Amino acid sequence: MLRYLLKRILYLIPVLIIISIVLFAILEMMPGNPVNAYLGVGVDVTPEQQAVIRSRLGLDDPVYIRYLKWLGRTLTGDFGTSLKYRRSVSDVISTFIWNSFYLNLLSMILAFAIAIPVGIRSAVKKYGLFDNFWTVFSLTGVSMPSFFFALVLIFFVAVPIKWMPLNGMRTTLFLAKGYDSTIQEVLDVLKHMILPATVLTMSSLAGLTRYVGNSVIEVINQDYIRTARSKGLKEKVVIYKHAFRNALLPIVTLLGLYIPALFGGAILLETVFIWPGIGNVLYTSILDRDYSMVMAANVFYAVLMLAGNLLADLSYALVDPRVRTR
């Protein structure tokens, strides 16, 4: 297992390098002037001053030289300085990433807590009213963009209900005067999380229920399940102890891919609800031509996805003892 793990990690190194080269090339082709982004809106400078700033930012070097310098700094833990926030990129990411983590963690817990029992019941009651309802729900959820569902919730739910926050993470009044207690702060954040967490949960729930249901259906048709039933075991024991346990392998694989999303943030959703997460930071950084921030955030996303795939592979041996990775 250890040998396999080390081998997989070594395979990830050239993959990350290729991804970083592609991302750097895409950023080079983006329209806009980094000098104007550095100076801000409405600042007028002479061409000589722009040349000085370009030299200071290292923009006069060839593309490959700039990439090698960026790679060298990144390997030492220096991701550059954000032009927008005037802080190191590491500080910006560490500040906003936990906001995305809390939101996505709550949504993932709700999605799996609902999808697992619903998927199991849909598999057991296949083609029944319950299964048909969730099939239609899944098709609707997969077809509907998350940002559209977010706008529908804002218009039909948040606007009529005056106490439900439309955007942000904390109430402006509390930001001005402070919170009286930690409980008050937690309740205020949870109240702001209702709408974005609902959209994230519903978006994940649509496909997740079908995925769990199909995994259980595949297992309950096996011979050992029919043998368990023939021994007179109760249906709940057959389904939840024998069938679901063996159906966990593909579900754990999916869970491994969901875990990176905890830190990744949802760009469109955080933008709609103005949630101060890493996804919203990436979106505003693209608009502001904050190249260091965009590059670091995208590489961070790539690392998360690769780590999720690695985690899913390693979970096989933990869930199913028949699987042995060498």
Side-chain angles (χ1 to χ4, degrees):
M1 176 67 78
L2 180 60
R3 182 180 178 183
Y4 170 78
L5 176 61
L6 293 176
K7 185 184 296 185
R8 287 297 307 271
I9 293 176
L10 289 177
Y11 286 159
L12 296 181
I13 295 176
V15 174
L16 280 174
I17 293 177
I18 294 174
I19 291 175
S20 65
I21 292 174
V22 173
L23 289 174
F24 202 89
I26 293 175
L27 288 179
E28 282 297 314
M29 293 184 290
M30 285 180 57
N33 189 350
V35 175
N36 294 335
Y38 177 81
L39 294 173
V41 180
V43 179
D44 189 17
V45 295
T46 63
E48 291 76 14
Q49 291 173 322
Q50 286 194 9
V52 172
I53 295 174
R54 285 185 62 86
S55 177
R56 185 188 307 168
L57 297 177
L59 298 175
D60 292 333
D61 297 328
V63 175
Y64 69 93
I65 295 295
R66 279 185 279 136
Y67 170 77
L68 292 176
K69 288 183 177 180
W70 173 86
L71 183 61
R73 292 194 306 267
T74 301
L75 292 176
T76 61
D78 181 11
F79 298 99
T81 302
S82 171
L83 300 180
K84 176 182 178 182
Y85 296 95
R86 295 294 194 272
R87 295 160 52 193
S88 68
V89 172
S90 301
D91 290 341
V92 176
I93 291 178
S94 61
T95 299
F96 291 97
I97 192 175
W98 293 108
N99 298 337
S100 295
F101 174 77
Y102 300 140
L103 177 61
N104 286 278
L105 178 63
L106 176 61
S107 303
M108 190 184 76
I109 292 174
L110 292 175
F112 275 89
I114 298 173
I116 289 177
V118 167
I120 294 175
R121 183 172 176 82
S122 296
V124 175
K125 304 292 183 180
K126 190 177 181 181
Y127 302 126
L129 181 62
F130 185 86
D131 180 48
N132 290 334
F133 169 79
W134 283 99
T135 299
V136 174
F137 172 82
S138 299
L139 292 174
T140 304
V142 170
S143 304
M144 182 182 299
S146 59
F147 70 89
F148 176 76
F149 183 48
L151 295 176
V152 170
L153 278 183
I154 290 176
F155 185 78
F156 290 102
V157 178
V159 173
I161 302 177
K162 304 298 182 182
W163 60 267
M164 185 175 293
L166 295 176
N167 50 52
M169 185 176 175
R170 289 178 172 85
T171 304
T172 306
L173 179 62
F174 288 134
L175 290 176
K177 72 180 187 65
Y179 292 95
D180 297 332
S181 63
T182 303
I183 296 178
Q184 186 184 49
E185 181 179 5
V186 171
L187 292 177
D188 185 44
V189 173
L190 288 175
K191 186 168 67 173
H192 284 78
M193 291 175 67
I194 292 176
L195 287 180
T198 300
V199 176
L200 275 177
T201 301
M202 298 299 287
S203 300
S204 304
L205 194 61
L208 195 56
T209 53
R210 303 313 303 171
Y211 193 89
V212 174
N214 292 334
S215 299
V216 176
I217 288 174
E218 184 178 352
V219 171
I220 61 178
N221 291 326
Q222 301 295 324
D223 292 337
Y224 66 88
I225 297 297
R226 286 191 287 268
T227 302
R229 284 174 173 155
S230 66
K231 291 180 178 179
L233 296 177
K234 294 182 179 180
E235 187 66 15
K236 288 185 177 180
V237 176
V238 173
I239 297 299
Y240 290 97
K241 184 177 180 180
H242 296 279
F244 179 63
R245 182 178 180 180
N246 289 279
L248 270 178
L249 186 58
I251 296 175
V252 169
T253 303
L254 189 65
L255 180 62
L257 298 177
Y258 265 75
I259 290 178
L262 292 176
F263 298 93
I267 297 177
L268 289 178
L269 190 61
E270 290 183 359
T271 303
V272 171
F273 289 107
I274 317 180
W275 184 266
I278 193 66
N280 191 25
V281 169
L282 176 59
Y283 174 75
T284 55
S285 298
I286 293 174
L287 296 180
D288 295 331
R289 306 297 188 271
D290 193 348
Y291 294 153
S292 297
M293 189 70 233
V294 174
M295 190 68 188
N298 279 289
V299 171
F300 177 70
Y301 284 146
V303 171
L304 287 179
M305 291 305 300
L306 294 175
N309 282 278
L310 178 61
L311 181 62
D313 291 342
L314 295 178
S315 300
Y316 287 164
L318 299 177
V319 176
D320 191 345
R322 297 171 299 178
V323 178
R324 289 293 181 267
T325 307
R326 297 178 181 177

